[in-house]
Amino acid sequence: MQQEPAPFSRHLRVHRHRNHTVLEFRGEIDIAAAVEIAPYLDRVTTHPGARIVIDLRSVEFFDCSGLRLLYRARSRVLDHGGQLHLVCTHPLTLRMLRITGLHRLLPPHPTPDAALDQSETTSGTW
């Protein structure tokens, strides 16, 4: 898979870690940020067998637009036989994930390494 250039965005930083594409969401993830992030997220989540980590540790605010991005990314990655991992430590964002039940579909981990270590110890996809 050829790596696409990372977009210039104050809400998204992209890098590679342990053979995964890490999408680091930054700042306030609201409807304006979601509009900015969605096109790139859609491109990388449709690659066959994509291996992606979404890292929310640099997020200060996260609303339903962010939840929608996560759910859409998860669906697209699974539809194309890939893997998606979530990193999140912010108490309010974790609470939103629990209240909506998204934490059951996309379990949050404290670091990218913790997420990837967990996936290596389990077989198959969720």
Side-chain angles (χ1 to χ4, degrees):
M1 169 171 79
Q2 184 176 346
Q3 181 67 26
E4 296 184 33
F8 177 76
S9 169
R10 65 187 174 124
H11 298 292
L12 180 64
R13 178 175 169 255
V14 180
H15 58 95
R16 298 286 292 170
H17 179 69
R18 289 177 50 183
N19 224 14
H20 286 68
T21 300
V22 178
L23 305 172
E24 184 182 322
F25 291 16
R26 305 171 65 82
E28 296 184 4
I29 306 302
D30 55 14
I31 193 164
V35 167
E36 192 177 293
I37 293 169
Y40 187 78
L41 187 64
D42 284 351
R43 279 196 307 274
V44 299
T45 56
T46 58
H47 290 296
R51 297 169 62 165
I52 297 178
V53 174
I54 295 179
D55 186 345
L56 303 180
R57 290 177 298 170
S58 296
V59 169
E60 299 160 7
F61 174 82
F62 196 79
D63 71 6
C64 61
S65 300
L67 292 172
R68 201 168 20 257
L69 285 174
L70 295 180
Y71 187 79
R72 180 174 172 86
R74 178 189 178 273
S75 296
R76 292 168 69 91
V77 166
L78 292 180
D79 286 347
H80 292 90
Q83 299 174 355
L84 178 65
H85 306 282
L86 180 65
V87 174
C88 181
T89 56
H90 193 284
L92 293 176
T93 305
L94 289 169
R95 184 172 182 228
M96 285 184 67
L97 293 170
R98 280 192 303 275
I99 288 170
T100 61
L102 191 55
H103 74 289
R104 283 183 250 127
L105 300 176
L106 199 53
H109 298 277
T111 66
D113 284 326
L116 299 179
D117 289 345
Q118 178 67 34
S119 75
E120 290 171 1
T121 62
T122 59
S123 59
T125 57
W126 18 268

